Amino acid sequence: MSTHADLTARAAALVEEMTLEEKASLTSGRDFWHTKGVERLGLVPLMLTDGPHGLRKQAGASDHLGLNSSVPATCFPPAANLGSTWDPELVREIGVALGEETKANGVAVLLGPGTNIKRSPLCGRNFEYFSEDPLLSGELAAALVDGVQSQGVGASLKHFAANNQETDRMRVDARIDERTLREIYLPAFETTVRKAQPWTVMCSYNKVNGTYASQNRELLTQILREEWGFEGLVVSDWGAVDQRIPALEAGLDLEMPASGGRTDAQIVRAVREGELDESVLDAAATRIVTMILRAAGTPAREDFDASAHHELARRAAAAGSVLLRNEEAEGGDALPLRPSSFTEDNPLVLIGEFARTPRYQGAGSSQVNPIRLDTVLDSLRARLGEEAVAFAPGFHLAEAAGVQDQDGTADLDPRELRENAVALAEGRTAVLFLGLPAKKEAEGYDRTDISLPAEQIELLRAVSEAASLSIVVLSNGSAVEVESWERLANALLEAWLGGQGAGSAIADMLLGDLAPEGRLAESLPAELAQVPAQLNFPGEAGVVEYGERIFVGYRGLDAMNAPVAHPFGSGLGYTRFDLEIRSIPERLDARGTADGDILGSIRVRVTNLGERAGAEIVQLYVGRESPSGIARAPRSLAGFAKLRLEAGESREIDLPITRRALSHWDAAAHGWAVEEGRWILAVGEHSRDSRHAVAVEVLADAAHPELVDHSTLAEWTRHPLGRPLLEAHAPGLTALAEDPEIGEMMGAMPLVRLSRFPGMPITEAQYEAMVAELPARGA
Ligand code: BGC
């Protein structure tokens, strides 16, 4: 296969042969889903389509909102579920399957994954994103891209950047300070670019600090290409280009969809009139031709194994389902259920329309036309026998109006629906399928609350009083409030939106043939008011201030010690694990190291204490023990590993500690920095698990802020150039700064001000003499 450099060289040679018009024409779409080609040079148009969790190839009418139908494709679990798998290997496998389907359909680029951070549970499109944590989001997005691209098609990493809400998404200005942008909102993109080199990156609709992402040179060129080494092309989100020339200059290569030739003509005119440097256009055209050559260089594919993909989708649905609660019931845990106990006389009672009309993906551009669709109701009936499973819809669901018409429940009012369900559940085991109706969360708008519909809670209250055992299974694309009602249930399974195989996967989890293996990739707050972003979401008057700064999700909840229903990273399974730290590095020495280096590792022994095989996700968090000079989250995820262990099995794993995990973004120096001192390494099962925490000394190159006009006495005293000057010119002052009684107060005073006080061991003239001896600024 040709290397990127070969392809680029061939592309550049072809671009040299093109007319100005031909080059310009390449930089926008031919129609909704295709790029243009240059026929006389043998360059064919390419098709790009959504994404991310299945192929949405529209053969007929086109749209970017999921309105018109598309060819059947496997609907894998959306990112809400995949995020909870914490399993890059599995996500890569899904990427491979997605790549096969993309290739078999003659599509060149799959528009995904989306790896924006879940800043607030209210974001209507959270179901398409992995996590509130940048490290986890980045590892999973990189795995997906790697899998997709292994099949000779491209991925599109989106939406770059800071697209964390749907409200006013095409205009809103996301105002984010530099440190927060670097530590929270960019790393998932950075990891994916560095590890997996997506063929394309899709810029977002919104503005970032005043400039549209599509026209943001700092993002699209300086950070993406120059810093991270991105080699692919930047494509606009559909309709994200506001002004074509500034966008091209900023690094936006391909505008989608078609502009009807309008913007191509603008480019031609700008070059002719000397307003646009032709080399900028050449660079964009070369990147587009490189992609055309790359796509042409991989063999076509006839078909794919739809059954194998369905099985993979099923397996993933269970891997991303999170068991949040599993009380002891008679003779063991509430879940899994014992299949043999359900008969015609004592059926298993399923309540809730979702058992029959599953909600398995979200609405909008990612909506896939599934090849098959499993329902829990059919799957359990097939497994236990038609008569051993009873069903009552329990509530109305707009998307189920048709089936409810057919079985006559459409005419019942909510009370009647509830009473029917209660009558069925009396004295029996009831599984309630609750969740968010499709209308509640979708691309294009945000939620305004995180509650389940009130009638569903009422239903649960009534059923849980009547039933001998109540299990709740949730279908939703982002966090819902469970704190006020979860104790009504003996077990609670968060199944998210799980794709086309979720129905049978849930049936298998209920009966114990599959175990839920997921851990929360987003916190479940006790209530919406606790969410750190809440005071600034979704902004006003066209601006959203990211006022909580780095304190997103668990970082903020943990810092405020806010009550949560279930912390980030948590989840049960059908077995239990013991963790034991076996060895830690004596110290971590970051001196002279570079970003990306590994400083040491921590060895952990993991033991499956239960009676069945299961999967554990070991998480490593870092935080400060020594006081810190900057605002910090108590714990930030620094690494994780998923492992499957047989009953009773033990294994040891090493979790590497990277320099980046200990770094903060120093906005003054515009770079990553490590703070020395004592750090805590916590290995555990969620962000609040402090059972296995150890302190370790971190050595780092000391960072000294430059001495400036109003540097304090303490800053002078600590500075390697300042201290000798102080000792030479005003020896009494260092003693004052270190005085146990008044040192702290004196140290906080700007030295110049201090020199103006009468009776101080320094005069203003001495101060000025010292300043004169400092090397010139910037020297
Ligand atoms: C979405 C993108 C999608 C594109 C094409 C846009 O509305 O934001 O995620 O890839 O449409 O359908």
Side-chain angles (χ1 to χ4, degrees), residues 268-338:
V268 170
R269 193 178 336 110
V271 172
R272 291 239 159 86
E273 289 175 8
E275 286 161 16
L276 174 69
D277 191 338
E278 193 166 351
S279 66
V280 173
L281 173 62
D282 289 353
T286 304
R287 289 184 197 124
I288 293 159
V289 175
T290 303
M291 186 167 82
I292 298 176
L293 297 178
R294 185 180 271 183
T298 59
R301 183 183 183 104
E302 289 299 308
D303 52 15
F304 57 89
D305 184 344
S307 307
H309 288 189
H310 183 73
E311 203 38 48
L312 175 60
R314 255 169 56 74
R315 184 153 56 88
S321 292
V322 189
L323 183 63
L324 293 171
R325 179 178 187 81
N326 198 9
E327 279 182 358
E328 287 228 0
E330 20 167 325
D333 291 337
L335 282 179
L337 303 170
R338 273 164 296 278

Side-chain angles (χ1 to χ4, degrees), residues 32-33 49-52 56 63-66 111-112 125 128-129 158-159 163 166 169 202 205 236-238 365-366 443:
F32 219 89
W33 301 118
T49 78
D50 292 301
R56 187 175 70 103
D63 68 86
H64 63 302
L65 302 169
L111 301 174
R125 217 174 170 182
E128 272 189 73
Y129 303 138
K158 65 192 190 183
H159 308 89
N163 178 192
E166 292 297 284
R169 68 170 168 159
M202 184 191 291
Y205 284 127
S236 70
D237 197 345
W238 267 229
S365 63
S366 68
E443 176 177 344

Side-chain angles (χ1 to χ4, degrees), residues 3 15 32 52 60 74 107 140 148 177 194 198 248 252 287 302 310 339 371 480 533 536-537 582 602 621 673 680 762:
T3 65
V15 168
F32 219 89
T74 308
V107 172
L140 297 179
V148 168
D177 68 89
R194 289 191 194 271
L248 194 67
L252 189 284
R287 289 184 197 124
E302 289 299 308
H310 183 73
I371 294 178
V480 292
N536 293 291
F537 189 95
R582 300 290 283 180
I602 181 160
Y621 294 87
I680 303 284
I762 182 170

